Amino acid sequence: MVFGCSLFSILANKFGLKWILVFGTLGYAPYSASLYVNNRYGTEWFVLFGGATCGIAASALWATEGAIALGYADVKDRGKFTGIWLGLRELGQLIGSSIQLSLNVRDGARGKVGYNTYLVLIALQCLGLPLSLLISPPQKVIHSDGRKVPDPTKNKAVLKEFRKWWALLRTKQFYLLIPILVGFNWNGTYQGIYLTKYFSVRARALGALTSGISATAANVFWGWFYDLKVFSRPTLAKITWILFSISMLALFGWQVANEKLYSEAVPKVTLDWAQPGFGRGFAVNVLFRFMNESHYMFVYWILGTFFDDIETLTLAVGLMRSFESIGSCLSFGIGAAKVQPMVNLIIAFVMFGVTVPSTFAAVYLVPGRPVNVRKLEDDGSSVEASDVGDVDKPTLLPAVAADAGRTGSV
């Protein structure tokens, strides 16, 4: 996915978002099938094969779904659109975890979930293909003010799109976000280890359900918050990142205290909702899930504040997903190396700390209105890589002002 997300974003601008999205639905069911076979029969090679098919398909899906959510929405509605999209993404987890909890509700001990759980996931994932065929192409989108989205595939050459992808990578707005893209979700690997090591089967199933609920709550709240007209976009960006930084540092401190307590306990801890002290260990996991999803919302919204045209947004989402995949690859690699959970947690803590200053620098670059890079190119304006998203540059002001006047919101 490190390479695939960017590659498929380039191909999406050539062949269309819809068909790359359709391709992206094909690799998930084989992965869930491999988990079923591993759970029931202990087969391991199929899991690696399924992981590869899932990675290839997810590269296409991740690159296109985010571009659709951001690019189809008008600027003033991008918070809501992003919240709805990420909320729908959680719907599968809510349904699957509800069934998983019902199948494992009587198991208060450690162990693994029943293999029937995976049959439900396979069935849900098989619905992705027919549903993706119902997606409309961008050129059929009509905004509330009557403005249409141009066909992004017209006169597109793959090599030309690659050059634009490379120019986008070199913008200061994007490379300042690289640390948060790599490091913000690093703790997800530790959270999986934490639940498996210290919680009963039914508590883990409850954790999956409440994680989906908390993530959905984050999507709904931030989708509303980011579209507020009370604050300007630059002010919203600063407020949000200050809140995130304080909250995450506090959560990491809480989690370190929990890990030390449980790892040193004799006899070994198995947390279950029928036992005292369950809330302390369980609540921090739910809050981490809320904050991780909040970070998803934040980075997508930030991209939407910098760029307005769907072609640039598609390339930006692909790049974002590529760097996120680097973080996932490294964090899961450390988890697979079987280091001590406390070491894994401390690494995640440090990784988040590294993201704080660079992201602060990025939020100070958030403009009052995003730039339509393609419109600038069509108008013959020169766009340097370092200028994208900078509304203070004289060459960008005419296009930005015209774009703002057309939509009626600045």
Side-chain angles (χ1 to χ4, degrees), residues 53-97:
T53 64
C54 183
I56 295 170
S59 297
L61 185 69
W62 283 22
T64 52
E65 60 177 5
I68 289 171
L70 288 175
Y72 282 27
D74 203 353
V75 175
K76 62 184 176 61
D77 297 320
R78 281 192 180 148
K80 291 190 287 288
F81 270 63
T82 306
I84 291 170
W85 158 56
L86 291 176
L88 288 173
R89 190 184 64 168
E90 295 301 320
L91 185 61
Q93 179 176 341
L94 288 172
I95 296 173
S97 59

Side-chain angles (χ1 to χ4, degrees), residues 174-184 351 354-356 358-359:
F174 194 88
Y175 65 67
L176 284 173
L177 290 175
I178 289 176
I180 190 175
L181 297 178
V182 174
F184 83 89
M351 286 299 299
V354 170
T355 73
V356 174
S358 61
T359 309

Side-chain angles (χ1 to χ4, degrees), residues 373-383 395 399:
V373 178
R374 295 303 196 235
K375 186 176 187 302
L376 292 175
E377 293 172 348
D378 293 341
D379 290 346
S381 302
S382 61
V383 184
T395 56

